[in-house]
Amino acid sequence: MNLSEFLHTAPEFSGMSVGDIASLEKAMMVRDYPDGHVFFSEGGSPDALYLIIDGEVAVSHLKGEERGYVVIKRMHAGEFFGLMALIDHTRRHASCKAVGKVRVASLPSTAFALLYESNSRLSNRFQLIIARQLARDFRSLVTVLRQNIFALDDEPINTMAYQGPERRSGSDRRAHVDRRKG
Amino acid sequence: MVISRDDFSSCFPDIAGNTDDGELDALLNALALRRLPAGENLLNDGDLTSSLYLVWTGMLVAYLEDENVSVELGKIHPGQSVGEISLFQPGPATATVKALTDCSLLMLPKEIFTALAREHPALTSKLLRMHAKMIIDRLNAADELLLGAEAMQARPGGMKKLFARIYYKLLGYEEDAA
């Protein structure tokens, strides 16, 4: 699927007009990446925002020397990654790597800043999309925490990778406490 | 709304500090005053919600409810808000919120927020950026606490207490009663 088709059909972008989508499309660059491609590493400077068009990206977090990098989230088509550091003006909070072949559209940080920091109608709709992604992250963490609060009876913490409530099987539905950052 | 800019600004300095007078007036016009008697629930855990509530007067309590279990998270005071996430991503309420005293709240439903976006995009842009930053701050704060989670494992009841504390922090409240 190409970027235009994707932006016109993905529910995340349904609030955008044809003109909005054309503007966004112009600012983004689409590429296919091989399995294992590292988009960025924890601690690096944020240079772009990424949108998955097809495939899967693993987000991992360094959990100390002994445990090394732990996958804390897997992201899929329609999701942005690399968002938090761009908004927060900090270094990358996590590392992101392709799982299998992926098609990703990137928005350079300068274009992101222009779009995100402006008060235009287009910016408004873009900010809403960003806020919704963060809200989904928030709700996912809330779901995990409440499962722990109700399930825990002094149990040790379970550090299995958290992969999002919508993608977990029934047996995986408890005690995932790690979480994701992009 | 009959709330003055000055009164609103002293209760919600972050919002007032990010908006100019015209935008603040537009926001004040969009907010509806809702009174909630002591003992009544503002939200029920899990119910679909799509409004932001700014606490104007009174005190509320937030708690989680499961079939037979209730976990108190903490108190909510004037100047704090409830339902920020639901404003742009309607979904289940993340806690039950009950009035401990008679309360007044300033309510901004999602439909009104959407209308504001059409008429005052600069205002809603500022609110969206504020909220995005707020969510990131809360996620970061929760992450800091999660990093210390392993140290809590040895304490009886420690993990449950820690998760409740993180949950409360995620909702954006102070730690005093968590």
Side-chain angles (χ1 to χ4, degrees):
Chain A
M1 188 181 283
N2 63 35
L3 179 60
S4 175
E5 196 183 341
F6 181 83
L7 293 175
H8 279 100
T9 53
E12 291 82 0
F13 297 89
S14 59
M16 289 192 134
S17 68
V18 173
D20 290 343
I21 286 176
S23 303
L24 192 57
E25 201 185 339
K26 263 186 216 164
M28 299 187 96
M29 189 181 75
V30 181
R31 269 187 64 188
D32 291 322
Y33 297 89
D35 180 32
H37 174 79
V38 176
F39 292 93
F40 53 79
S41 299
E42 190 172 336
S45 300
D47 57 353
L49 173 70
Y50 300 91
L51 171 67
I52 306 172
I53 295 175
D54 192 25
E56 184 176 292
V57 170
V59 183
S60 59
H61 200 26
L62 187 59
K63 296 280 185 182
E65 275 181 30
E66 205 171 291
R67 292 173 61 199
Y69 282 92
V70 175
V71 174
I72 52 174
K73 187 189 175 192
R74 291 176 190 275
M75 305 190 76
H76 302 87
E79 292 187 289
F80 285 104
F81 62 96
L83 185 56
M84 288 172 68
L86 280 174
I87 293 179
D88 216 15
H89 304 293
T90 53
R91 296 202 165 261
R92 293 293 191 193
H93 297 279
S95 302
C96 284
K97 192 158 119 174
V99 180
K101 268 177 65 178
V102 283
R103 174 166 290 182
V104 166
S106 60
L107 181 68
S109 56
T110 46
F112 173 84
L114 278 173
L115 199 54
Y116 188 74
E117 301 297 336
S118 158
N119 297 331
S120 68
R121 283 177 203 279
L122 166 62
S123 295
N124 210 240
R125 287 187 276 268
F126 181 68
Q127 289 148 1
L128 189 58
I129 290 170
I130 298 296
R132 283 183 177 149
Q133 161 111 33
L134 289 169
R136 283 194 294 275
D137 290 352
F138 179 93
R139 285 194 184 280
S140 296
L141 179 56
V142 156
T143 303
V144 173
L145 284 172
R146 69 181 298 140
Q147 284 164 357
N148 278 278
I149 290 168
F150 287 125
L152 270 177
D153 184 18
D154 304 342
E155 290 178 358
I157 193 166
N158 183 329
T159 51
M160 281 176 66
Y162 170 55
Q163 301 185 0
E166 71 284 3
R167 298 187 187 274
R168 277 184 270 141
S169 65
S171 60
D172 288 331
R173 282 188 168 276
R174 52 186 294 279
H176 296 254
V177 296
D178 281 335
R179 66 163 196 82
R180 62 298 202 2
K181 282 181 161 185
Chain B
M1 277 288 305
V2 286
I3 290 171
S4 73
R5 266 188 230 142
D6 286 348
D7 286 346
F8 183 87
S9 302
S10 62
C11 196
F12 302 101
D14 288 350
I15 297 176
N18 272 293
T19 49
D20 63 30
D21 285 353
E23 290 162 353
L24 194 51
D25 285 345
L27 180 62
L28 288 172
N29 283 331
L31 293 169
L33 185 64
R34 176 169 169 190
R35 298 199 187 278
L36 189 70
E40 281 196 15
N41 283 3
L42 175 66
L43 298 172
N44 294 305
D45 193 356
D47 283 1
L48 188 68
T49 174
S50 60
S51 294
L52 166 71
Y53 298 92
L54 304 173
V55 182
W56 184 242
T57 63
M59 183 164 65
L60 303 102
V61 61
Y63 53 96
L64 294 182
E65 286 184 305
D66 208 350
E67 284 158 14
N68 299 311
V69 190
S70 172
V71 179
E72 182 174 328
L73 297 167
K75 312 288 188 299
I76 307 168
H77 304 278
Q80 296 181 320
S81 53
V82 176
E84 309 87 343
I85 303 299
S86 303
L87 185 62
F88 40 81
Q89 183 74 358
T94 48
T96 290
V97 177
K98 179 181 176 177
L100 284 176
T101 65
D102 289 346
C103 293
S104 55
L105 304 123
L106 309 178
M107 183 173 78
L108 182 63
K110 180 181 173 286
E111 308 79 62
I112 304 293
F113 181 79
T114 305
L116 264 184
R118 283 194 294 271
E119 292 167 28
H120 302 279
L123 166 63
T124 49
S125 270
K126 289 175 182 177
L127 292 175
L128 283 167
R129 283 197 297 268
M130 271 181 67
H131 278 95
K133 181 72 172 66
M134 175 204 77
I135 297 173
I136 288 175
D137 287 347
R138 291 186 193 174
L139 290 172
N140 282 333
D143 208 53
E144 287 291 314
L145 288 172
L146 280 172
L147 282 175
E150 287 172 18
M152 299 290 285
Q153 285 184 58
R155 297 188 202 172
M159 291 310 298
K160 198 163 186 138
K161 202 174 281 181
L162 176 71
F163 287 135
R165 190 173 159 221
I166 296 172
Y167 200 98
Y168 186 61
K169 214 171 179 68
L170 262 183
L171 299 188
Y173 308 133
E174 299 303 317
E175 283 186 46
D176 55 8

PDB file of all heavy atoms in Angstrom, chain B residues 8 12-13 24 26 42 54 56 58 67 75 81 83 121 138-139 142 150 156 167:
ATOM      1  N   PHE B   8     -10.757  31.996  37.308  1.00  0.00           N
ATOM      2  CA  PHE B   8     -10.364  30.774  36.601  1.00  0.00           C
ATOM      3  C   PHE B   8      -8.835  30.643  36.606  1.00  0.00           C
ATOM      4  O   PHE B   8      -8.295  29.569  36.859  1.00  0.00           O
ATOM      5  CB  PHE B   8     -10.892  30.795  35.164  1.00  0.00           C
ATOM      6  CG  PHE B   8     -10.589  29.528  34.398  1.00  0.00           C
ATOM      7  CD1 PHE B   8     -11.454  28.439  34.466  1.00  0.00           C
ATOM      8  CD2 PHE B   8      -9.432  29.419  33.627  1.00  0.00           C
ATOM      9  CE1 PHE B   8     -11.160  27.262  33.773  1.00  0.00           C
ATOM     10  CE2 PHE B   8      -9.135  28.243  32.939  1.00  0.00           C
ATOM     11  CZ  PHE B   8     -10.005  27.170  33.011  1.00  0.00           C
ATOM     12  N   PHE B  12      -6.769  27.483  37.740  1.00  0.00           N
ATOM     13  CA  PHE B  12      -6.148  26.678  36.675  1.00  0.00           C
ATOM     14  C   PHE B  12      -5.055  27.494  35.971  1.00  0.00           C
ATOM     15  O   PHE B  12      -5.214  27.876  34.795  1.00  0.00           O
ATOM     16  CB  PHE B  12      -7.222  26.219  35.670  1.00  0.00           C
ATOM     17  CG  PHE B  12      -8.310  25.419  36.296  1.00  0.00           C
ATOM     18  CD1 PHE B  12      -9.540  25.994  36.597  1.00  0.00           C
ATOM     19  CD2 PHE B  12      -8.109  24.085  36.638  1.00  0.00           C
ATOM     20  CE1 PHE B  12     -10.542  25.269  37.203  1.00  0.00           C
ATOM     21  CE2 PHE B  12      -9.104  23.350  37.242  1.00  0.00           C
ATOM     22  CZ  PHE B  12     -10.320  23.942  37.533  1.00  0.00           C
ATOM     23  N   PRO B  13      -3.965  27.776  36.678  1.00  0.00           N
ATOM     24  CA  PRO B  13      -2.935  28.642  36.104  1.00  0.00           C
ATOM     25  C   PRO B  13      -2.284  28.083  34.838  1.00  0.00           C
ATOM     26  O   PRO B  13      -1.889  28.852  33.959  1.00  0.00           O
ATOM     27  CB  PRO B  13      -1.904  28.786  37.238  1.00  0.00           C
ATOM     28  CG  PRO B  13      -2.188  27.668  38.177  1.00  0.00           C
ATOM     29  CD  PRO B  13      -3.633  27.343  38.045  1.00  0.00           C
ATOM     30  N   LEU B  24      -9.173  32.419  26.270  1.00  0.00           N
ATOM     31  CA  LEU B  24      -9.688  32.058  27.587  1.00  0.00           C
ATOM     32  C   LEU B  24     -11.187  32.353  27.678  1.00  0.00           C
ATOM     33  O   LEU B  24     -11.955  31.556  28.231  1.00  0.00           O
ATOM     34  CB  LEU B  24      -8.915  32.823  28.673  1.00  0.00           C
ATOM     35  CG  LEU B  24      -9.096  32.337  30.107  1.00  0.00           C
ATOM     36  CD1 LEU B  24      -8.870  30.838  30.227  1.00  0.00           C
ATOM     37  CD2 LEU B  24      -8.144  33.077  31.038  1.00  0.00           C
ATOM     38  N   ALA B  26     -13.248  32.306  25.170  1.00  0.00           N
ATOM     39  CA  ALA B  26     -13.922  31.271  24.360  1.00  0.00           C
ATOM     40  C   ALA B  26     -14.043  29.980  25.161  1.00  0.00           C
ATOM     41  O   ALA B  26     -15.083  29.308  25.131  1.00  0.00           O
ATOM     42  CB  ALA B  26     -13.140  31.029  23.068  1.00  0.00           C
ATOM     43  N   LEU B  42     -19.419  11.064  40.072  1.00  0.00           N
ATOM     44  CA  LEU B  42     -19.239  11.814  38.828  1.00  0.00           C
ATOM     45  C   LEU B  42     -19.065  10.820  37.684  1.00  0.00           C
ATOM     46  O   LEU B  42     -19.636  10.971  36.607  1.00  0.00           O
ATOM     47  CB  LEU B  42     -17.989  12.710  38.940  1.00  0.00           C
ATOM     48  CG  LEU B  42     -17.586  13.473  37.684  1.00  0.00           C
ATOM     49  CD1 LEU B  42     -18.644  14.503  37.319  1.00  0.00           C
ATOM     50  CD2 LEU B  42     -16.236  14.162  37.881  1.00  0.00           C
ATOM     51  N   LEU B  54     -13.171  19.977  35.061  1.00  0.00           N
ATOM     52  CA  LEU B  54     -12.211  20.728  35.858  1.00  0.00           C
ATOM     53  C   LEU B  54     -12.852  20.930  37.224  1.00  0.00           C
ATOM     54  O   LEU B  54     -13.986  21.423  37.323  1.00  0.00           O
ATOM     55  CB  LEU B  54     -11.910  22.077  35.196  1.00  0.00           C
ATOM     56  CG  LEU B  54     -11.403  22.023  33.749  1.00  0.00           C
ATOM     57  CD1 LEU B  54     -11.296  23.427  33.151  1.00  0.00           C
ATOM     58  CD2 LEU B  54     -10.050  21.329  33.678  1.00  0.00           C
ATOM     59  N   TRP B  56     -13.766  22.694  40.323  1.00  0.00           N
ATOM     60  CA  TRP B  56     -13.831  24.114  40.690  1.00  0.00           C
ATOM     61  C   TRP B  56     -13.907  24.273  42.208  1.00  0.00           C
ATOM     62  O   TRP B  56     -13.114  24.996  42.798  1.00  0.00           O
ATOM     63  CB  TRP B  56     -15.046  24.736  39.983  1.00  0.00           C
ATOM     64  CG  TRP B  56     -15.241  26.190  40.154  1.00  0.00           C
ATOM     65  CD1 TRP B  56     -16.310  26.798  40.747  1.00  0.00           C
ATOM     66  CD2 TRP B  56     -14.368  27.246  39.740  1.00  0.00           C
ATOM     67  NE1 TRP B  56     -16.154  28.152  40.726  1.00  0.00           N
ATOM     68  CE2 TRP B  56     -14.969  28.454  40.111  1.00  0.00           C
ATOM     69  CE3 TRP B  56     -13.133  27.258  39.093  1.00  0.00           C
ATOM     70  CZ2 TRP B  56     -14.388  29.686  39.864  1.00  0.00           C
ATOM     71  CZ3 TRP B  56     -12.541  28.492  38.833  1.00  0.00           C
ATOM     72  CH2 TRP B  56     -13.168  29.682  39.218  1.00  0.00           C
ATOM     73  N   GLY B  58     -14.906  21.944  46.082  1.00  0.00           N
ATOM     74  CA  GLY B  58     -15.238  20.663  46.700  1.00  0.00           C
ATOM     75  C   GLY B  58     -14.102  19.652  46.593  1.00  0.00           C
ATOM     76  O   GLY B  58     -13.020  19.963  46.084  1.00  0.00           O
ATOM     77  N   GLU B  67     -15.337  -6.606  40.598  1.00  0.00           N
ATOM     78  CA  GLU B  67     -16.594  -7.189  41.062  1.00  0.00           C
ATOM     79  C   GLU B  67     -16.817  -7.021  42.566  1.00  0.00           C
ATOM     80  O   GLU B  67     -17.830  -6.516  43.012  1.00  0.00           O
ATOM     81  CB  GLU B  67     -16.653  -8.667  40.670  1.00  0.00           C
ATOM     82  CG  GLU B  67     -16.955  -8.807  39.182  1.00  0.00           C
ATOM     83  CD  GLU B  67     -16.514 -10.140  38.634  1.00  0.00           C
ATOM     84  OE1 GLU B  67     -16.218 -11.047  39.417  1.00  0.00           O
ATOM     85  OE2 GLU B  67     -16.452 -10.262  37.388  1.00  0.00           O
ATOM     86  N   LYS B  75      -7.513  11.443  46.774  1.00  0.00           N
ATOM     87  CA  LYS B  75      -8.477  12.551  46.697  1.00  0.00           C
ATOM     88  C   LYS B  75      -8.180  13.477  45.515  1.00  0.00           C
ATOM     89  O   LYS B  75      -7.043  13.583  45.066  1.00  0.00           O
ATOM     90  CB  LYS B  75      -8.427  13.376  47.995  1.00  0.00           C
ATOM     91  CG  LYS B  75      -8.485  12.571  49.280  1.00  0.00           C
ATOM     92  CD  LYS B  75      -9.868  11.992  49.514  1.00  0.00           C
ATOM     93  CE  LYS B  75     -10.021  11.351  50.891  1.00  0.00           C
ATOM     94  NZ  LYS B  75      -9.117  10.223  51.176  1.00  0.00           N
ATOM     95  N   SER B  81      -8.136  17.969  37.459  1.00  0.00           N
ATOM     96  CA  SER B  81      -9.142  17.648  36.449  1.00  0.00           C
ATOM     97  C   SER B  81      -9.391  16.144  36.381  1.00  0.00           C
ATOM     98  O   SER B  81      -8.599  15.343  36.888  1.00  0.00           O
ATOM     99  CB  SER B  81      -8.696  18.187  35.092  1.00  0.00           C
ATOM    100  OG  SER B  81      -7.400  17.734  34.799  1.00  0.00           O
ATOM    101  N   GLY B  83     -10.881  13.130  33.539  1.00  0.00           N
ATOM    102  CA  GLY B  83     -11.393  12.794  32.202  1.00  0.00           C
ATOM    103  C   GLY B  83     -10.641  13.426  31.043  1.00  0.00           C
ATOM    104  O   GLY B  83     -11.171  13.501  29.934  1.00  0.00           O
ATOM    105  N   PRO B 121      -9.275  27.206  16.443  1.00  0.00           N
ATOM    106  CA  PRO B 121      -8.245  26.163  16.319  1.00  0.00           C
ATOM    107  C   PRO B 121      -6.988  26.459  17.148  1.00  0.00           C
ATOM    108  O   PRO B 121      -6.340  25.531  17.647  1.00  0.00           O
ATOM    109  CB  PRO B 121      -7.935  26.130  14.821  1.00  0.00           C
ATOM    110  CG  PRO B 121      -8.497  27.377  14.246  1.00  0.00           C
ATOM    111  CD  PRO B 121      -9.629  27.788  15.138  1.00  0.00           C
ATOM    112  N   ARG B 138       3.179  12.201  32.599  1.00  0.00           N
ATOM    113  CA  ARG B 138       2.627  11.160  33.474  1.00  0.00           C
ATOM    114  C   ARG B 138       3.194   9.782  33.138  1.00  0.00           C
ATOM    115  O   ARG B 138       3.473   8.986  34.025  1.00  0.00           O
ATOM    116  CB  ARG B 138       1.105  11.133  33.349  1.00  0.00           C
ATOM    117  CG  ARG B 138       0.452  12.357  33.946  1.00  0.00           C
ATOM    118  CD  ARG B 138      -1.037  12.168  33.908  1.00  0.00           C
ATOM    119  NE  ARG B 138      -1.750  13.389  34.174  1.00  0.00           N
ATOM    120  CZ  ARG B 138      -3.068  13.492  34.090  1.00  0.00           C
ATOM    121  NH1 ARG B 138      -3.780  12.449  33.747  1.00  0.00           N
ATOM    122  NH2 ARG B 138      -3.669  14.630  34.356  1.00  0.00           N
ATOM    123  N   LEU B 139       3.340   9.511  31.838  1.00  0.00           N
ATOM    124  CA  LEU B 139       3.919   8.220  31.445  1.00  0.00           C
ATOM    125  C   LEU B 139       5.356   8.127  31.943  1.00  0.00           C
ATOM    126  O   LEU B 139       5.796   7.082  32.423  1.00  0.00           O
ATOM    127  CB  LEU B 139       3.865   8.042  29.924  1.00  0.00           C
ATOM    128  CG  LEU B 139       2.474   7.820  29.316  1.00  0.00           C
ATOM    129  CD1 LEU B 139       2.535   7.854  27.791  1.00  0.00           C
ATOM    130  CD2 LEU B 139       1.877   6.488  29.763  1.00  0.00           C
ATOM    131  N   ALA B 142       5.296   7.539  35.658  1.00  0.00           N
ATOM    132  CA  ALA B 142       4.928   6.151  35.925  1.00  0.00           C
ATOM    133  C   ALA B 142       6.123   5.241  35.653  1.00  0.00           C
ATOM    134  O   ALA B 142       6.388   4.290  36.395  1.00  0.00           O
ATOM    135  CB  ALA B 142       3.745   5.743  35.052  1.00  0.00           C
ATOM    136  N   GLU B 150      11.054  -3.367  41.327  1.00  0.00           N
ATOM    137  CA  GLU B 150      11.648  -4.612  41.797  1.00  0.00           C
ATOM    138  C   GLU B 150      12.037  -4.525  43.263  1.00  0.00           C
ATOM    139  O   GLU B 150      11.992  -5.507  43.995  1.00  0.00           O
ATOM    140  CB  GLU B 150      12.829  -4.986  40.911  1.00  0.00           C
ATOM    141  CG  GLU B 150      12.314  -5.488  39.566  1.00  0.00           C
ATOM    142  CD  GLU B 150      13.399  -5.705  38.538  1.00  0.00           C
ATOM    143  OE1 GLU B 150      14.568  -5.799  38.936  1.00  0.00           O
ATOM    144  OE2 GLU B 150      13.055  -5.777  37.344  1.00  0.00           O
ATOM    145  N   PRO B 156       5.689  -7.046  51.963  1.00  0.00           N
ATOM    146  CA  PRO B 156       4.318  -7.573  51.873  1.00  0.00           C
ATOM    147  C   PRO B 156       3.356  -6.483  51.387  1.00  0.00           C
ATOM    148  O   PRO B 156       3.349  -5.378  51.908  1.00  0.00           O
ATOM    149  CB  PRO B 156       3.997  -7.968  53.318  1.00  0.00           C
ATOM    150  CG  PRO B 156       5.311  -8.047  54.012  1.00  0.00           C
ATOM    151  CD  PRO B 156       6.238  -7.113  53.306  1.00  0.00           C
ATOM    152  N   TYR B 167      -0.880   4.206  39.358  1.00  0.00           N
ATOM    153  CA  TYR B 167      -2.173   4.445  38.711  1.00  0.00           C
ATOM    154  C   TYR B 167      -2.676   5.845  39.058  1.00  0.00           C
ATOM    155  O   TYR B 167      -3.112   6.606  38.195  1.00  0.00           O
ATOM    156  CB  TYR B 167      -3.169   3.388  39.206  1.00  0.00           C
ATOM    157  CG  TYR B 167      -4.369   3.184  38.313  1.00  0.00           C
ATOM    158  CD1 TYR B 167      -4.406   2.136  37.408  1.00  0.00           C
ATOM    159  CD2 TYR B 167      -5.469   4.017  38.385  1.00  0.00           C
ATOM    160  CE1 TYR B 167      -5.491   1.927  36.596  1.00  0.00           C
ATOM    161  CE2 TYR B 167      -6.575   3.817  37.579  1.00  0.00           C
ATOM    162  CZ  TYR B 167      -6.579   2.765  36.688  1.00  0.00           C
ATOM    163  OH  TYR B 167      -7.668   2.567  35.881  1.00  0.00           O
TER     164      TYR B 167
END
